[in-house]
């Protein structure tokens, strides 16, 4: 199978040795994604809901580069620095994935790479095969 690495263009990807997303065949895996804009600035400082929305938008953009959509996501992992914010994080996640309902885990971590970051999200997607795509009117 062909492997396609998807880069977001940050300086950290070659330094650390990772890709924003990797597609192999029908499988797309999106790396831990935070609430940053194109310049790397954190969006929604102090607001877990806003950061979750932005992180999901960034996940969606990586999926699109790999030929996938949020509807193809089968699993998400949410890393939060304050689990008491679970409702705000969950509300934003539910707005994006409520009809899709991927398997999901939310885990509190002691910190993320920058102190203003509150949420990091990973996502795994599986593209439908031709038969599935026809059956589900993709």
């Amino acid at each position: 199978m062909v492997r396609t690495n998807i880069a977001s263009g940050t300086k950290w990807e070659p330094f650390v040795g990772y890709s924003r997303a990797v597609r192999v065949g029908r499988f797309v895996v999106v790396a831990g994604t935070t609430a940053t804009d194109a310049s790397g600035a954190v969006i929604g400082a102090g607001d877990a809901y806003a950061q979750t929305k932005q992180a999901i938008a960034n996940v969606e953009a990586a999926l699109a580069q790999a030929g996938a959509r949020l509807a193809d996501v089968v699993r998400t992992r949410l890393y939060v620095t304050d689990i008491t914010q679970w409702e705000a994080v969950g509300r934003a996640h539910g707005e994006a994935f409520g009809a899709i309902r991927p398997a999901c885990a939310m885990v509190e971590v002691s910190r993320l790479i920058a102190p203003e970051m509150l949420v990091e999200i990973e996502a795994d997607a599986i593209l439908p095969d031709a038969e599935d795509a026809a059956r589900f009117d993709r």
Side-chain angles (χ1 to χ4, degrees):
M1 281 190 235
V2 174
R3 174 190 175 116
T4 304
N5 292 343
I6 308 297
S8 66
T10 68
K11 65 181 180 180
W12 301 113
E13 290 171 350
F15 178 77
V16 176
Y18 75 98
S19 297
R20 169 61 44 224
V22 176
R23 177 174 174 174
V24 178
R26 295 174 44 222
F27 299 93
V28 180
V29 180
V30 181
T33 304
T34 56
T36 53
D37 64 14
S39 71
V42 175
I43 302 299
D47 185 339
Y49 173 82
Q51 287 199 17
T52 304
K53 294 285 283 183
Q54 181 64 44
I56 291 169
N58 293 348
V59 165
E60 186 172 25
L63 288 167
Q65 286 184 270
R69 307 176 307 165
L70 287 181
D72 300 317
V73 172
V74 297
R75 179 182 193 96
T76 56
R77 292 170 203 84
L78 297 90
Y79 303 99
V80 299
T81 59
D82 180 1
I83 201 69
T84 67
Q85 296 297 308
W86 74 267
E87 288 182 78
V89 173
R91 181 166 41 95
H93 186 274
E95 289 170 4
F97 292 105
I100 302 162
R101 309 271 310 258
C104 178
M106 186 184 306
V107 179
E108 183 179 52
V109 296
S110 62
R111 63 183 172 186
L112 296 172
I113 201 153
E116 63 274 16
M117 292 178 177
L118 307 175
V119 179
E120 185 165 331
I121 301 174
E122 296 177 340
D124 300 333
I126 302 174
L127 295 162
D129 61 24
E131 182 179 319
D132 284 342
R135 184 174 18 167
F136 293 106
D137 193 32
R138 188 171 165 83

